[in-house]
Amino acid sequence: MNSSKIIGMGFYVPDNVITNEDLSQKIDTSDEWIQTRSGIKERRWASEEITTFDLAHKASLNAISNAGIDPQDIDMIIVGTLSSDYFFPGVSAQLQESLNLNTIGAFDIKAACSAFIYSLSIADQFIKTGMAKNILVVGAEAQTKLIDKSTKGRDIAVLFGDGAGAAIIQKTNDKSFILSTHLHCEGKNIKNLWMEAPGTSPGSWFENNNFVPERFTPAMNGREVFKNAVKRFPEVINEALVYNKLSIKDIKLIIPHQANFRISQAVANRMNVDMNIVYSNIHKYGNTTAASIPIALTEAIEEGRIIKGDHIILAAFGAGYTWASAAIKW
């Protein structure tokens, strides 16, 4: 059976930097309050004219350049996002057209913060079965256009940012490859982290002919999300270790979804590992949902934190609830 490897990474974030001090001018909050609860110092917010597609397109071009391939070699596109430009079709169709990739398969995955690992897993399967040779996998979000940026929406407004990260996945016979991926979901918790509208369930668009703004903005039960995240992250990381007969001591770097620095600390404590092997860049970008892991992975590579032969683990937890991990030999 074929194996797949990541041969190129790239990311792109909007130029518009929003600091905690900026938020405190609009929302009843403070830099100390935000940093204490999340570890975030600043984030990027897409301006009105910048869309999720725009971010995905630039991240994709960076990944293609980093991989050193001709874009025409790409034979599939998978995009993870919950903030696509349109209700339908997906960002993947826009990317297919903008990259001039003639009628290749392209589709979106809506698994929130776990979407990049879900997409990576799907790409891995397509390559293993010989159905594709070079796949563009993207995580992209311009989700801050959806959030309530008033004091009422403070718990979400201070956490989230926009951006995109992309990877080129290629068939390989090399010793560097994706070892395994592990995907999970627990749908009974969907209302703890969700956005009800737009949708097709009763009342999820207009109710009694009245527009209800709260249905069209994300809502989160922070306490429940935190409690479940610190449980599922270690579980799914250990699942990857056991499956591949690895010890945590074999892992050079864990790259978790950048949800909250306190979650990363709690996971490190539960796994009895030092925080220096748990990568974090949340202080710069906030929670960029599907874009979080590919942005972090790209920066870790650029910083020299990962070199050939290293074992790394990607891990995510998010709405759905969904959670996932990927073990990779670099």
Side-chain angles (χ1 to χ4, degrees):
M1 183 178 288
N2 301 319
S3 295
S4 68
K5 69 181 293 185
I6 297 172
I7 64 164
M9 295 290 307
F11 79 97
Y12 183 80
V13 291
D15 295 330
N16 187 27
V17 178
I18 304 295
T19 67
N20 292 344
E21 184 61 32
D22 293 332
L23 289 180
S24 71
Q25 304 303 311
K26 304 175 182 179
I27 298 173
D28 181 15
T29 190
S30 68
D31 176 64
E32 180 184 11
W33 190 89
I34 297 170
Q35 286 205 54
T36 299
R37 286 160 177 78
S38 68
I40 300 168
K41 297 180 181 179
E42 61 186 40
R43 72 288 291 149
R44 306 296 181 97
W45 284 4
S47 55
E48 184 175 349
E49 68 276 9
I50 300 295
T51 70
T52 297
F53 160 71
D54 294 322
L55 302 177
H57 180 73
K58 291 182 178 181
S60 297
L61 292 177
N62 289 337
I64 291 167
S65 174
N66 181 252
I69 66 168
D70 187 318
Q72 297 304 312
D73 292 333
I74 295 170
D75 46 19
M76 181 170 288
I77 299 172
I78 308 173
V79 177
T81 185
L82 53 69
S83 54
S84 55
D85 294 12
Y86 312 113
F87 190 71
F88 67 87
V91 172
S92 54
Q94 295 169 272
L95 278 179
Q96 182 274 326
E97 190 277 332
S98 68
L99 296 172
N100 194 29
L101 301 178
N102 188 31
T103 71
I104 67 169
F107 54 94
D108 285 20
I109 297 295
K110 189 157 63 171
C113 301
S114 304
F116 182 78
I117 298 180
Y118 266 62
S119 300
L120 185 70
S121 180
I122 295 166
D124 183 45
Q125 309 311 313
F126 269 100
I127 287 177
K128 282 179 176 176
T129 59
M131 292 291 289
K133 294 180 180 178
N134 294 283
I135 302 178
L136 171 62
V137 177
V138 184
E141 304 288 4
Q143 60 194 343
T144 65
K145 297 172 183 288
L146 305 172
I147 65 177
D148 179 353
K149 298 182 178 71
S150 69
T151 296
K152 182 179 179 181
R154 173 180 61 185
D155 290 351
I156 283 180
V158 302
L159 295 177
F160 290 91
D162 301 325
I168 302 295
I169 317 300
Q170 186 179 81
K171 175 184 174 181
T172 185
N173 294 313
D174 195 2
K175 293 183 179 179
S176 299
F177 61 100
I178 297 171
L179 298 173
S180 65
T181 56
H182 309 272
L183 312 181
H184 297 279
C185 179
E186 190 174 39
K188 69 180 182 180
N189 292 295
I190 61 172
K191 293 185 180 181
N192 282 327
L193 181 54
W194 75 329
M195 192 172 85
E196 185 177 3
T200 57
S201 61
S204 66
W205 186 265
F206 292 99
E207 187 173 35
N208 299 323
N209 295 319
N210 292 317
F211 176 75
V212 183
E214 288 79 7
R215 296 175 181 269
F216 291 78
T217 55
M220 177 173 66
N221 181 335
R223 186 182 299 274
E224 283 300 311
V225 171
F226 188 97
K227 182 176 72 174
N228 281 270
V230 298
K231 175 185 178 184
R232 298 306 189 184
F233 265 114
E235 281 183 0
V236 81
I237 291 170
N238 281 320
E239 182 179 6
L241 292 174
V242 171
Y243 184 88
N244 293 288
K245 298 181 172 59
L246 295 170
S247 158
I248 192 64
K249 294 179 181 179
D250 297 318
I251 304 304
K252 178 67 173 297
L253 203 62
I254 296 170
I255 300 180
H257 160 58
Q258 306 293 301
N260 186 311
F261 188 67
R262 288 194 303 137
I263 291 176
S264 294
Q265 287 178 314
V267 170
N269 288 336
R270 288 195 175 202
M271 299 197 68
N272 196 29
V273 297
D274 195 282
M275 274 299 292
N276 64 9
I277 75 160
V278 181
Y279 189 83
S280 178
N281 63 1
I282 195 171
H283 58 288
K284 294 191 290 184
Y285 305 121
N287 180 344
T288 56
T289 302
S292 166
I293 285 178
I295 291 175
L297 178 55
T298 305
E299 287 206 323
I301 295 165
E302 291 174 347
E303 293 166 9
R305 300 283 299 277
I306 305 169
I307 61 174
K308 189 172 178 61
D310 285 342
H311 287 97
I312 67 169
I313 290 184
L314 314 179
F317 177 89
Y321 294 140
T322 57
W323 61 100
S325 65
I328 301 171
K329 185 175 182 183
W330 204 256

